[in-house]
Each structure stands twice: as structure tokens, then as C-alpha cells.
Amino acid sequence: MDVDIGMLVVRLALGPMLFVHGWNKAMGSGGLAGTTRWFGSMGLRPAWLHARLAAFTEMGAGALVTVGLLTTPAAAAFVGVMAVATFTDHRGKGYFVFKGGWEYTLLIAMVAVALACVGPGAWSLDRVLGIELTGVLWAGAALLVGLAAAAALLLACYRGRR
């Protein structure tokens, strides 16, 4: 019961946070056009596609984690998005986020992997639907799939900062 409450709290912190980040990319002050320009300046090509992929991956994975549905695949998406962000936007700026570093992206990815390991808890759609994709092997899979997806995206589409 304590673990279930703890995982609900983690999901309600992590999921909406990523959803709102995606929403901001799509609907914030600069909208997708601003996100496209930003992604282009970071070297992601085609920038218009990456702006949409990032926004909708963040919103989708954030929503899934919030309700506890397909939690481990959503955790893999968290890892992938955070790995790309670390490499393209936070790399070379040190550890601390207040200096633009990768502290934040690493923490989000690590919490997502821990969520895949422990599971979303009793108050989740995974539990209601009998979806059991948790444990050390599933957490490892979320980590590896997320990192592999990020590496593939970067190898195919990253052209370096302008």
C-alpha cells in the first residue's frame, strides 16, 4: 500500500510535468513555429518534424505515465526524449541545470527507469488492465530502448549547432 501511494505520487509529479513541457512546445508563446526555430538552431533536421515529435512524444508519454497506462513503454519514451535533450541542448554546460546543464534531464530519465522497475502501483490503468511490464529486466529494456531510439534519431538527424 505504501509503495502504491508512493508510485502514484511519482506518476502525478512526472507525468503532468512532461505533458506540460510538450504542451508548451506546441502551444506556448512561440508555438510549434518557435520550437521549430529552436530545434533548427540546435541542429535537428528537419526541425519542423522534430518539434512535433518532441511535443507529441512528451504529451503522449506524460499522459500515459499520469494514468499509469503502458508505463514501461512510456518510460522508454521519457528516456529517449531526455537523452536527445541532454545531447542537443544541455551538453557541454556542466551538471547543474541552473547553468543549463544536464542535471534535470538525467534525473527525469532515472526516475522514469525506476518507475518501469517498480511499476505504476495499484491506482493505475496497467493494474486495472492486468498489464505487468515491470521489474529489473523491463526497466533495463526501457533504458536501452530509450537510449537506442535517441541514438538512432541523433545519428540520422543531428547536424550540429548552427
Side-chain angles (χ1 to χ4, degrees):
M1 182 67 123
D2 291 344
V3 170
D4 295 323
I5 293 170
M7 296 321 292
L8 177 63
V9 169
V10 167
R11 288 188 4 248
L12 293 178
L14 197 62
M17 179 276 310
L18 196 65
F19 181 89
V20 171
H21 272 254
W23 181 266
N24 188 58
K25 284 179 177 67
M27 308 300 278
S29 63
L32 282 172
T35 302
T36 298
R37 286 189 299 277
W38 176 40
F39 279 27
S41 74
M42 288 189 290
L44 290 166
R45 303 289 187 273
W48 66 267
L49 177 61
H50 290 283
R52 285 156 179 80
L53 283 174
F56 295 113
T57 298
E58 289 177 357
M59 286 189 285
L64 289 172
V65 163
T66 299
V67 299
L69 178 62
L70 300 172
T71 304
T72 294
F78 270 69
V79 170
V81 168
M82 292 300 112
V84 170
T86 298
F87 188 83
T88 59
D89 192 31
H90 300 274
R91 182 174 49 117
K93 298 176 182 175
Y95 175 72
F96 296 107
V97 71
F98 62 84
K99 293 184 177 180
W102 43 270
E103 169 187 21
Y104 170 79
T105 56
L106 177 65
L107 177 64
I108 298 304
M110 290 177 71
V111 172
V113 171
L115 179 60
C117 187
V118 176
W123 296 298
S124 68
L125 290 178
D126 279 354
R127 182 70 58 91
V128 169
L129 299 172
I131 299 172
E132 294 288 332
L133 305 176
T134 62
V136 172
L137 293 178
W138 284 106
L143 176 64
L144 292 176
V145 167
L147 290 176
L153 182 142
L154 290 167
L155 286 170
C157 303
Y158 181 68
R159 302 294 177 258
R161 285 190 173 273
R162 285 196 229 166

